[in-house]
Amino acid sequence: MRIRCLFICASMLALAAVPAADPITFEEIAGQAGVRFVSNNSATPLKQQPEGIIAGVAVLDYDGDGYLDLYFVNGAGMPSLAKQGDIHKNRLFHNNGNLTFTDVTDRAGVGGTGYGMGVAVGDYDNDGRPDLYVANVNGNILYHNNGDGTFTDVTKRSGTSGGLYNGKKMWSVAAAWVDYNNDGLLDLFISNYCQWDPANGPECKANGQVVYCNPRHYKPLPHTLYRNNGNGTFTDVSEQTGLSKFPGRGMGVSIGDYDGDGFTDIFVANDDAPFQLFHNIGGKRFEEVAAAAGVAFPENGNVISGMGCDFRDVFNKGTPSLWVTAIEKESFPLFLNSGKGDFIDKTSASGLAMQTYEMSGWSNAIVDLDNDGWKDLAVARSNVQENIGMLSPRQYEEPNAIFRNLGNGKFQNAGATAGPDFQKPAGHRGMAVGDLDNDGRMDLVINVLNGPAKVFHNTTQNSNHWILLKLAGIKSNRMGVGAKIRVTTPDGLTQWNHVTTSTGFASSSDSRVHFGLGAVGSIKEIEVAWPSGVKQVLRHVKADRVLTISEPVR
């Protein structure tokens, strides 16, 4: 214990010694921007299990005008999901290009018909228009983007309503679009949660108060993988690829090629169960390797309540690492990719163990918020139990948090200086990241349980440069999901990132890949490794713009 104390003290002194930088700041603009949305969980005195978990949010440019639109997932009536209950609509807000938004849900036809959880954005038919997949407790929904501002529910035709277990549709929480076999078509991975029966659930209490049950009261479920057939339909290949052998209580899901073999791997943050890392074997099957790779458990060896996750190169090492959120007294583990096929737990060494120990976190992201060339950490926070204040000194609503990347392997909590709006506690859940006004500063959009949604406009003031890369695949999938990008600036700094929309908890972020460039106003070299195997190099690229890169035809 004394050794751990000495280590923590030394870590905190090192953090304090780092010179101050311009603060990362945000202004909350949802109200003035016209984004009026409240997620409704249809709370009941029984505290049925799905009530505390909703819901995700997505940012996407659904109409191709160059500006990110917003899609919020909502709940539905309780307790009988079989009868569908009262539907609280999901909402789509069109970005007007001036940081204001217009609700276009009814015209677009994406209001939803189930008890919503998560959303995933991906162009599954390679027509250049992003489609929406909504993960529900009951039937999931696939919305095809028609290209005229409307969507069509193609769930039945496509065969993607959600996997079955013992003849019943599994409770889905999150999803990720991923071209697992590199055939140029986006496939669909769904993280499923637990075996829950609304008519036959346990009642859980603490100090005489009804609370949401510990997930260990419910048996886990296997996850679902749909292979894209290329004709608008999908085939469930969960058993064929080996995924059905590994049940979990899936929450967040993220993708990345952790071992550099050219095939995208999948990570699942499980709730009160070991995390799962599905190693992609040649686009044909998956092996669950979390224990062998060192990411099944945090450094204390105990299972924790995994919520959100992101899978990116956090320390500019050339390989994607993993960061996961959890609840209070568990910390948010950071697994550094060693580059040798496994990971090293850096939660304590990075300063995150103590800084996150008293926090409860939901959605999260690894993203450069001040454009200094080092990816920071953002997390949407709140407790799980809305009546936690009656059971302990804790509060249900929590402020969000930012952990600034100091560029030396350590992070510093910068939430207190992020502005008064950012520090207002709320029941934060899903969070998506994207540049809403194309000014090069990454913004945050957060769904709030039974409260108004929040849009955090990044107002950080500095002279740092940036670039946003929009990939357009030809032989690869149109969105370029899975493409790996290396950016080198004239000052010698090299960064890596990859194309994905699946981030955090049940949410979907900007598919454009963002790089902060610090004081350098140009890029020496950009290398794109496409999923097709094609490598492309661009040299002497001007900064401070959105750049579209099309895959070369060879």
Side-chain angles (χ1 to χ4, degrees), residues 8-25:
I8 291 170
C9 291
S11 298
M12 298 307 289
L13 285 172
L15 290 177
V18 175
D22 294 319
I24 298 169
T25 58

Side-chain angles (χ1 to χ4, degrees), residues 42-72:
S42 294
T44 69
L46 297 176
K47 294 197 176 298
Q48 299 198 64
Q49 204 67 7
E51 295 174 13
I53 296 179
I54 73 169
V57 59
V59 296
L60 72 157
D61 182 7
Y62 81 94
D63 58 348
D65 66 354
Y67 288 94
L68 294 176
D69 312 296
L70 314 179
Y71 186 76
F72 293 92

Side-chain angles (χ1 to χ4, degrees), residues 199-275:
N200 191 30
E203 181 182 70
C204 299
K205 292 186 177 182
N207 297 338
Q209 298 290 324
V210 178
V211 296
Y212 295 119
C213 292
N214 186 296
R216 294 186 188 183
H217 283 81
Y218 306 94
K219 293 180 180 179
L221 288 170
H223 309 299
T224 305
L225 179 64
Y226 287 114
R227 185 186 63 218
N228 191 332
N229 299 323
N231 60 359
T233 68
F234 292 76
T235 299
D236 188 335
V237 293
S238 310
E239 183 173 354
Q240 176 183 329
T241 57
L243 285 170
S244 60
K245 297 186 296 184
F246 302 102
R249 299 186 189 92
M251 298 284 270
V253 54
S254 54
I255 64 171
D257 180 8
Y258 81 93
D259 60 345
D261 66 354
F263 291 91
T264 304
D265 310 299
I266 301 170
F267 178 83
V268 179
N270 285 310
D271 190 3
D272 228 338
F275 300 149

Side-chain angles (χ1 to χ4, degrees), residues 5 20 71 173 192 245 353 469 542-543 545:
C5 192
Y71 186 76
V173 170
N192 298 309
K245 297 186 296 184
L469 303 178
K542 181 182 176 182
R545 58 175 172 150

Side-chain angles (χ1 to χ4, degrees), residues 29-37 70 72 93 100-101 445 452-455:
I29 63 169
Q32 67 196 62
V35 179
R36 297 176 179 86
F37 175 81
L70 314 179
F72 293 92
F93 291 89
T100 68
F101 295 80
V445 183
K454 297 183 178 182
V455 177

